[in-house]
């Protein structure tokens, strides 16, 4: 008779997880319960599933509120009633409207109003009034005509000891101090579980309420099918036509990819098509293919990856560019006879194109059946302390101290004790519903059959449950991702066409794999700006592996991942790759299955292979290991069962215990971090596409990187790369520059987007107006045509954007102040824009120090352009080594002067901190540094800037670095503008 349960998915209201709710339902003697989270159904189907597993009859409902005002509780009679509840909430979310005070005409929903909010004479046949325990006596004496219209309503929101936690959550939700909470903003303290015996005793004076409640529950039946797929079942309208269409498309693609005579490839295509049809996955492939066909029709560059990239059918369709035969991709990783869900396709688009792709998908597959995947943001770590600190009125300084110095004596007081006492309780509590980074659901039935829909700011419907619930109820998402690396490739091709008059095709990347010039570029780790292979760690790995081919890069793309690196297997891979004749296999199964990776598990497929061939697990169990590794599995108990079975199998096979444990340790270390081989191969393809463009068209490539605002490094580093490649880097110019960076021959003009405080509207307008009416001829002409105010004019003058006028900045600043005198009427007619010939005053001759320009550029853009940061150093000393000579100084103490451009902090096994630094020397070349704990404590890195570094040069597999002993920032010349 629990008709009104709130889980902690009643955000910032309830305090119990679904597991806790179910445990209390059982221990308090109930066999039926209704989850009625406030204004959402994000946890409903998960609740039903867990109840079924626990032998409890779980029912679906929803509590409807406008802000803090309880309107009514809806209880679904069946699955159709659940849809009605979701439809009502979805309508309110979509149109940002208040919920109706009186429930609509539901056909399959019981509605319960709070006592006193509605007259019994106004109730519809499906409507009741709920009586809470504290209202029983009041109800007994109240006049009533229709006793059958009243039922028990005992809300449950928290455990008895968690009322204070509930209040804290309510204060956070209302963004007020906990002392400011009003009665209507907080639940009653008795919204806790009562045992069934206690509940019956409470309502024994009015047994009719018990009878009515039992009757209402008996009318409800929620039998949700968790086993069948909820994705759109057909693409064409029936399975047979889907099969025929997929066969046609696949065979057309087979001819393009392999020609007509490749028997091995054809045999695999036909085998896959047969399994795809038998498992009823044809529609999933056809929908993915349809999305890719539209992208190609719009000339949108994309990359297909995910487990589906193991499929030769996907390769033939053009969903992926990875040949599974060439890479010996594990077919069972793609599909196996026990697999119930289709393979996973991730499609990466340029960040500029993804919104149009969303628009196509939502229009093509109907909004009622298409939605973004939801996600759940949680309270975590510091955010908990910050939120609690605010509701207790702590100033920011005290909150910061509590976070950064938890052991400080000033933290020892009643308020901070209260905050810290609930810290662990709130850890990982749901805080807000958000959007999954890329997932799209396309369903056969309307999505409100499964969830109410949210409408976040972008306006696209979003289901309220997350990817884990989606998988449990039978959904497979389509991952439509946004990636800036793809924007680099697409934009670079267009820049090459405009600047060089050459049309470039990157859609057939196989030819890049055998290009010796690209191979040398890769081997030298000259990869800054290239997708996935530009970070310091990846450049070092490429150097250590002496990587100059596609297959080695595929492996590198996976072994760089934390799981492989932290297990020690990355180091082992490097050693074995360089000395393959010294490889020793831990067991014959490793040589048989992993000879191409020297007996090391590099990919998710490798763990499946070893789990199956070495550990005796069947393919379904091995697939659970794969899902564990990708972070998509949450059944810890099932995982424990598989581990027990693995060790049992190893004992039966007679393996030494220490070997069985070591192999399991290696498999476990991959959890959540490793790639499948097809995924790594897809990344490597995109890396090669970027590398081809950087090798042959370095200037256009670096401009495209700058214009996509993405990459590991700051804009300054990419400009340095362009300069090293022969580019003439030009400051913004109102007669040359556009909004973003542009190129003419070897001249690269920085765009107005790089000026930190320039208004975006003006930044866009400058080139648009110039295109309409020609070049600007003077400050006055510019002002009259753009309406730029004095502050914006000053920014442009100081950035050098008016240098074509031949006057110095100081003269131009004087002129701008005179021009924009507050008393001057600047609202001239359009016809006067080009005809003003105001006399200019005679100004004294100003002297400008080049140092002033550098400081202007740093202030306005964040970095110097007309010089380098080395020009700011007081000393001309540049050390006794640089990037080019470091390798020859192996083991020696060196001193270098270099500019810090990136750093990474790492926690060691004993909990202390160390850092890896990335510097640029005076030649523009990279130097990598290692700062161990003791060195870091004595000589901390204090942010980007120019450093003098002293340390030991080390060379690890031909990759030089400096083990820093001490370092300090170099003194720089004072800013002459402030003198």
């Amino acid at each position: 008779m629990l008709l009104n349960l709130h889980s902690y998915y009643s955000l910032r209201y309830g305090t119990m997880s679904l597991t806790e709710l179910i445990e209390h339902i059982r221990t308090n003697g109930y066999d039926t319960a209704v989850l009625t989270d406030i204004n959402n159904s994000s946890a409903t189907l998960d609740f039903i599933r867990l109840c079924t597993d626990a032998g409890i009859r779980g029912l679906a409902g929803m509590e409807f509120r406008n802000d803090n005002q309880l309107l009514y509780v809806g209880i679904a009679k069946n699955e159709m009633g659940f849809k009605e509840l979701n439809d009502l909430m979805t309508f309110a979310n979509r149109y940002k409207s208040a919920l109706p005070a009186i429930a609509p005409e539901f056909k399959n929903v019981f509605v319960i109003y709070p006592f006193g909010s509605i007259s019994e004479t106004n109730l519809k046949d499906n409507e009741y009034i709920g009586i809470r325990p504290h209202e029983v006596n009041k109800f007994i004496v109240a006049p009533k005509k229709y006793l059958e219209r009243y039922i028990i309503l005992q809300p449950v929101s928290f455990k008895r000891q968690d009322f204070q936690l509930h209040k804290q959550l309510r204060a956070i939700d209302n963004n007020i101090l906990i002392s400011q909470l009003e009665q209507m903003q907080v639940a009653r303290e008795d919204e806790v579980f009562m045992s069934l015996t206690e509940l019956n005793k409470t309502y024994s004076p009015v047994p009719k309420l018990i009878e009515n409640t039992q009757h209402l529950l008996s009318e409800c039946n929620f039998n949700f099918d968790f086993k069948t797929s909820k994705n759109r079942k057909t693409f064409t309208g029936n399975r047979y036509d889907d099969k025929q269409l997929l066969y046609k498309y696949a065979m057309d693609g087979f001819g393009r990819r392999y020609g007509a005579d490749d028997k091995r490839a054809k045999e695999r295509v036909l085998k896959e098509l047969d399994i795809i049809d038998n498992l009823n996955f044809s529609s999933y492939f056809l929908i993915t293919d349809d999305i890719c066909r539209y992208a190609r029709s719009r000339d949108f560059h994309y990359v297909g990856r995910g487990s589906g990239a193991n499929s030769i059918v996907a390769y033939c369709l053009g969903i992926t560019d990875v040949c599974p035969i060439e890479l010996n991709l594990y077919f069972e990783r793609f599909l196996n006879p026990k697999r119930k869900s289709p393979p996973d396709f991730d499609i990466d688009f340029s960040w500029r194109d993804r919104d149009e792709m969303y628009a196509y998908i939502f229009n093509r597959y109907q909004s009622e059946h298409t939605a973004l995947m939801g996600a759940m943001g949680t309270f975590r770590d510091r955010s908990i302390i910050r939120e609690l600190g605010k509701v207790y009125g702590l100033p920011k300084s005290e909150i910061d101290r509590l976070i950064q110095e938890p052991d400080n004596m000033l933290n020892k007081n009643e308020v901070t004790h209260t905050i810290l006492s609930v810290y662990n309780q709130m850890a990982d509590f749901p805080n807000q519903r958000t959007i999954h980074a890329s997932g799209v659901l396309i369903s056969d039935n309307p999505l409100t059959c499964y969830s109410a829909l949210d409408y976040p700011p972008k306006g696209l419907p979003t289901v309220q449950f997350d990817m884990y619930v989606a998988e449990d109820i039978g959904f497979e998402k389509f991952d439509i991702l946004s990636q800036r690396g793809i924007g680099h490739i697409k934009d670079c091709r267009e820049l090459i066409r405009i600047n060089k008059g050459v049309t470039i095709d990157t859609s057939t990347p196989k030819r890049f794999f055998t290009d010796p010039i690209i191979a040398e570029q890769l081997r030298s780790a000259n990869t800054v700006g290239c997708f996935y292979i530009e970070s310091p760690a990846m450049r070092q790995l490429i150097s250590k592996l002496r990587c100059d081919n596609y297959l080695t890069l595929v492996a590198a793309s996976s072994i760089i991942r934390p799981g492989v690196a932290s297990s020690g297997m990355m180091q082992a891979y490097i050693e074995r790759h360089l000395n393959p004749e010294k490889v020793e296999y831990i067991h014959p199964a490793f040589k048989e299955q992993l000879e191409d990776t020297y007996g090391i598990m590099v990919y998710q497929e490798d763990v499946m292979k070893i789990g199956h061939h070495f550990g005796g697990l069947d393919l379904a169990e091995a697939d659970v290991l794969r899902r564990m590794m990708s972070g998509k599995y949450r059944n810890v108990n099932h995982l424990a069962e598989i581990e027990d079975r693995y060790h049992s199998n190893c004992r039966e096979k007679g393996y030494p215990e220490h070997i069985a444990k070591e192999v399991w340790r290696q498999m476990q270390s991959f959890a959540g971090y490793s790639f499948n081989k097809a995924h790594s191969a897809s990344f490597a393809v995109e890396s090669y596409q970027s590398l081809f463009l950087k090798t042959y068209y370095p200037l256009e490539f670096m401009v495209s990187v700058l214009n996509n605002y993405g990459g590991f490094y700051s804009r300054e580093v990419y400009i340095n790369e362009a300069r090293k490649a022969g580019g003439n880097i030009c400051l913004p110019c109102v007669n040359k520059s556009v909004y973003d960076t542009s190129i003419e021959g070897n001249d690269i003009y920085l765009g107005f987007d790089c000026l930190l405080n320039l208004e975006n509207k003006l930044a866009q307008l400058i080139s648009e107006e110039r295109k309409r009416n020609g070049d600007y001829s003077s400050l006055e002409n510019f002002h009259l045509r753009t309406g730029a105010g004095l502050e914006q004019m000053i920014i442009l003058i100081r950035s050098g954007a008016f240098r074509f006028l031949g006057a110095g900045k100081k003269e131009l600043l004087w002129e701008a102040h005179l021009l924009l005198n507050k008393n001057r009427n600047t609202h001239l007619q359009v016809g006067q824009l080009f005809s003003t010939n105001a006399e200019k005053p005679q100004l004294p001759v100003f002297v400008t120090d080049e140092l002033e320009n550098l400081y202007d550029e740093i202030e306005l853009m964040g970095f110097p352009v007309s010089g380098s940061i080395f020009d700011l150093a007081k000393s001309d000393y540049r050390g006794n080594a640089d990037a080019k000579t470091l390798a020859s100084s192996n083991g020696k103490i060196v001193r270098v002067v270099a500019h810090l451009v990136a750093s990474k902090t790492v926690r060691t096994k004993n909990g202390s901190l160390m850092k890896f630094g990335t510097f640029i020397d005076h030649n523009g070349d990279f130097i990598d540094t290692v700062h161990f704990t003791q060195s870091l404590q004595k000589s901390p890195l204090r942010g980007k800037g120019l450093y003098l570094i002293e340390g030991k040069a080390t060379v690890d597999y031909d990759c030089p670095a400096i083990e820093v002993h001490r370092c300090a920032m170099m003194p720089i010349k004072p800013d002459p503008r402030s003198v």
Side-chain angles (χ1 to χ4, degrees), residues 106 387 689 891:
F106 289 125
E387 294 287 359
Q689 289 170 321

Side-chain angles (χ1 to χ4, degrees), residues 142-157:
K144 46 196 167 291
K145 198 171 181 182
Y146 306 104
L147 195 57
E148 66 276 7
R149 309 311 299 165
Y150 295 89
I151 61 168
I152 295 171
L153 188 67
Q154 165 55 11
V156 176
S157 302

